[in-house]
Structures are given as C-alpha cells and as structure tokens.
C-alpha cells in the first residue's frame, strides 16, 4: 500500500467521522427535545418507573425522589451532548480548546430551546434552574472529554 493509498483511506475515514459525529450529535439533541415534548403524564410515568427501579437497587432505608431522578436525567442527557460535541469538533478538526465559547453556546442554546419547548408541553413548565443543570452537565461532559483527549494524545486541537 502506497502513501497515497493510506492518505486516501484516511481522508475517506475522516469524511465518515464527520458525518457520523454530526448525525450522532443531532440525533441526541432531537432525543433531548423529544423528551421535552412529552406531556406531564407520560414523562411522570417514565420517571416513576425509573424511581422504582433505582430505589429497588439501593440499600434498605435509602430512597431517591422523583425530583432527584429528573434533575439527574437532565444533567446526564447534557453530559452526553457535551461528549458528542467534542467528538464533532475533533472530527471536523476544529480546535476544541480554542473554541470553548462555541461549545458553551451550543450547550446553552440547546438547554434554552429545551426549556422553551417544555413551556408548550401539556402539564410541563420550563425552569431557569434546569437550564443551569443542563449546562452544568454539558460542561462536565465536554471538559472530561477534553481532559481524556489530552491525556491520551497530549493535544485536542
């Protein structure tokens, strides 16, 4: 295999990575927003089920409330989005650490739109508190991904 063949193969993989990372991030944002479009009844049933499962796994006398489960779900959804944003930046060879503001804007805008969607969902309401929780999750996922990237390769840009 010549050097030109290796270059062409790498270039083709680069295109696949770009498309895959963009589709993954877009799909995840759609998943987040879809969850916000659910009415209070459906969302509450899912939360109750998760509360029952989690409480069944905990030690005797320990319980987790639905409120805690909902806030953890927000945080984790956005942590995954932060991780996927780093994958996208890396696939497009955009300097991750040089573009922290772009990443932060992505996280905040997704959260603001998410909470706005909830204002129009039956029985739901948007909350400023949730925007902060969402962004906190995004920031943690983003920063952990950047740190792991730097540990693994020495540079993320």
């Amino acid at each position: 295999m010549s050097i030109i063949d290796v270059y062409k193969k790498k270039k083709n993989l680069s295109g696949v990575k770009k498309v895959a990372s963009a589709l993954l991030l877009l799909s995840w944002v759609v998943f987040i927003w879809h969850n916000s479009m659910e009415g209070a009844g459906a969302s509450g049933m899912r939360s109750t089920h998760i509360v029952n499962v989690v409480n069944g796994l905990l030690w005797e006398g320990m319980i987790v409330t639905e409120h805690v489960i909902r806030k953890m779900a927000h945080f984790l959804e956005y942590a995954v989005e932060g991780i996927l944003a780093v994958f996208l930046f890396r696939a497009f060879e955009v300097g991750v650490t040089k573009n922290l503001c772009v990443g932060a804007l992505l996280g905040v805008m997704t959260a603001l739109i998410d909470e706005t969607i909830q204002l129009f969902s039956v029985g739901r309401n948007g909350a400023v508190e949730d925007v902060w929780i969402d962004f906190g999750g995004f920031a943690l996922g983003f920063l952990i991904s950047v740190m792991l990237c730097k540990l693994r390769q020495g540079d993320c840009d």
Side-chain angles (χ1 to χ4, degrees), residues 19-37:
V19 171
S21 62
L23 285 175
L24 274 171
L25 180 60
L26 181 62
S27 298
W28 192 256
V29 170
V30 168
F31 169 75
I32 290 171
W33 290 344
H34 175 267
N35 288 339
S36 292
M37 290 180 201

Side-chain angles (χ1 to χ4, degrees), residues 9-21:
K9 187 174 181 180
K10 185 176 180 181
K11 189 174 180 180
N12 288 341
L13 278 177
S14 174
V16 170
K17 286 181 183 178
K18 288 176 182 177
V19 171
S21 62

Side-chain angles (χ1 to χ4, degrees), residues 55-111:
N55 284 333
L57 297 171
L58 295 175
W59 292 283
E60 189 71 32
M62 289 184 67
I63 60 163
V64 174
T65 65
E66 185 176 330
H67 179 77
V68 170
I69 291 293
R70 285 180 172 275
K71 299 309 173 190
M72 286 174 57
H74 271 269
F75 192 86
L76 291 174
E77 280 180 334
Y78 281 84
V80 171
E81 184 191 5
I83 292 166
L84 294 175
V86 171
F87 287 165
L88 180 75
F89 282 19
R90 297 212 50 231
F92 278 86
E93 298 175 1
V94 174
V96 177
T97 54
K98 292 175 186 167
N99 288 289
L100 286 175
C101 290
V102 174
L105 184 62
L106 173 67
V108 167
M109 290 307 297
T110 306

Side-chain angles (χ1 to χ4, degrees), residues 40-53:
S43 178
M45 284 175 48
R46 187 169 14 143
S47 294
T48 300
H49 174 71
I50 294 169
V51 166
N52 292 335
V53 169

